[in-house]
Amino acid sequence: MLNGIDPRIAPELLHALAAMGHGDQLTIVDANYPAHTAGLNSDWGHCLDFGGTSTDALQAILTLVPIDQFDRERPAVKAMQQVDAPDTPAEAVAQAIGIVRAFGHDIAMTERFAFYEAAADSFVIIRTQERRLYGNFILRKGVIE
Amino acid sequence: MLNGIDPRIAPELLHALAAMGHGDQLTIVDANYPAHTAGLNSDWGHCLDFGGTSTDALQAILTLVPIDQFDRERPAVKAMQQVDAPDTPAEAVAQAIGIVRAFGHDIAMTERFAFYEAAADSFVIIRTQERRLYGNFILRKGVIE
C-alpha cells in the first residue's frame, strides 16, 4: 500500500500503468471477457487483476493515468455497444460515461467485434470482478506536462 | 509517468514500494555504496535506480511510504555516522534529518558497520546518484489506515 493510491491497484498493476507511455492503450474488462488470452497478447504479457467493478477500476485508474488529448479525432476512450440494442448503453457503460465526463472526455461507442480488434492492441489488460455485461473500456494514455 | 508521482520513482521502484508491507525496510544508498551486491541479497533480488540525490529520493519516497510508528523503541529511520567524526552528521545526513523531521520522525545515527548489517535485511536497495559521502538511509515501512 502507498499513501494516496487506491490499494485495489495492486503493485504490479501500478508498475504497468507507470510504464505506459503516450499513445499506449489499456483495456479494463469485465469478469466474462477472455482476459487471460487477451493478456497473453498484450505488451505486458499477462492480464492483471483489479479487485472491484470495472467502473471502480476506471475511476481509480483515471486519477493516475491522463487521457490522451492530442488526437481529438481519434476517440481516446471506447466502450462496447450492446449487440441487441446498439443505441442504448449498458448499465456499466452509462456509469462509465459519467466518470469519464468528469475528467473532460467522452466515450466512443464501438461495435462488439471492432472493440475486440481495438483491444488486441493493448499495453495491458485489466481483469475486474465486474458482473454487469458490457463492462469493458479501452483508454489511450495521454501526457503529463 | 503517473499523475502526482515523482517520475524519478521509476515504474519498477513504484512496484517495489507498493509491494512492501509493514516492517519491511528500504535502503537508499549513495553512488559509492556497493549497491549491486546489496541488491542481490535484498528481497527484491536486484537494486533499483533513482535518478537524483539520496535526499531527493528520501523526500519523494516519504510522500508515498509511511514511516513505522508502531515500535518507537526501535528507530524507523537510520543514517550512517562519519567514521572520523561520529558526532557530526555529514552534509547529506543533516539535510535528511530536516526532511524526516517534517514527517514527524527522527534519524538514528548508526556506526558504519552496524549500518551495513542493518541494510543487509532490506526489502529493496535504492541506488541514487548521490555524490556526497554518507548519503545512505534505512527506512522501515509503517501502516496506512
Side-chain angles (χ1 to χ4, degrees), chain A residues 107-134:
Chain A
I107 294 187
M109 297 305 299
T110 308
E111 182 274 330
R112 180 179 166 212
F113 289 99
F115 185 96
Y116 287 142
E117 200 176 307
D121 181 29
S122 290
F123 183 93
V124 62
I125 302 287
I126 301 160
R127 176 172 50 201
T128 70
Q129 297 166 358
E130 180 63 74
R131 297 293 302 265
R132 293 171 295 178
L133 301 185
Y134 298 101

Side-chain angles (χ1 to χ4, degrees), chain A residues 1-3 5 11-12 14-15 17-20 62-66 141 144, chain B residues 1-3 5 11-12 14-15 17-20 62-66 141 144:
Chain A
M1 259 228 288
L2 292 174
N3 291 326
I5 295 177
E12 189 182 349
L14 194 57
H15 184 167
L17 298 177
M20 288 176 67
L62 283 175
T63 63
L64 291 168
V65 176
K141 194 179 187 182
I144 296 168
Chain B
M1 259 229 286
L2 293 174
N3 291 325
I5 294 177
E12 189 183 349
L14 194 57
H15 184 167
L17 297 178
M20 289 176 68
L62 283 176
T63 62
L64 290 169
V65 176
K141 193 179 188 183
I144 297 167

Side-chain angles (χ1 to χ4, degrees), chain A residues 81-105:
Chain A
Q81 288 175 338
Q82 298 196 77
V83 171
D84 53 1
D87 296 333
T88 310
E91 183 192 314
V93 174
Q95 194 185 341
I97 288 169
I99 292 168
V100 170
R101 277 208 184 125
F103 289 88
H105 282 262

Side-chain angles (χ1 to χ4, degrees), chain B residues 116-131:
Chain B
Y116 287 142
E117 200 176 306
D121 182 30
S122 289
F123 183 93
V124 62
I125 301 287
I126 301 160
R127 176 170 51 201
T128 69
Q129 297 166 357
E130 180 63 73
R131 296 294 300 265

Side-chain angles (χ1 to χ4, degrees), chain B residues 22-81:
Chain B
H22 182 203
D24 283 334
Q25 204 169 250
L26 64 83
T27 301
I28 297 168
V29 301
D30 63 30
N32 277 299
Y33 200 90
H36 186 86
T37 309
L40 294 176
N41 293 317
S42 70
D43 294 347
W44 198 256
H46 57 269
C47 76
L48 296 175
D49 283 295
F50 179 89
T53 66
S54 62
T55 47
D56 284 351
L58 190 63
Q59 174 73 47
I61 287 168
L62 283 176
T63 62
L64 290 169
V65 176
I67 300 174
D68 193 15
Q69 316 242 16
F70 266 50
D71 187 358
R72 285 275 185 181
E73 299 302 302
R74 237 172 14 118
V77 190
K78 292 177 185 161
M80 201 188 274
Q81 288 175 338

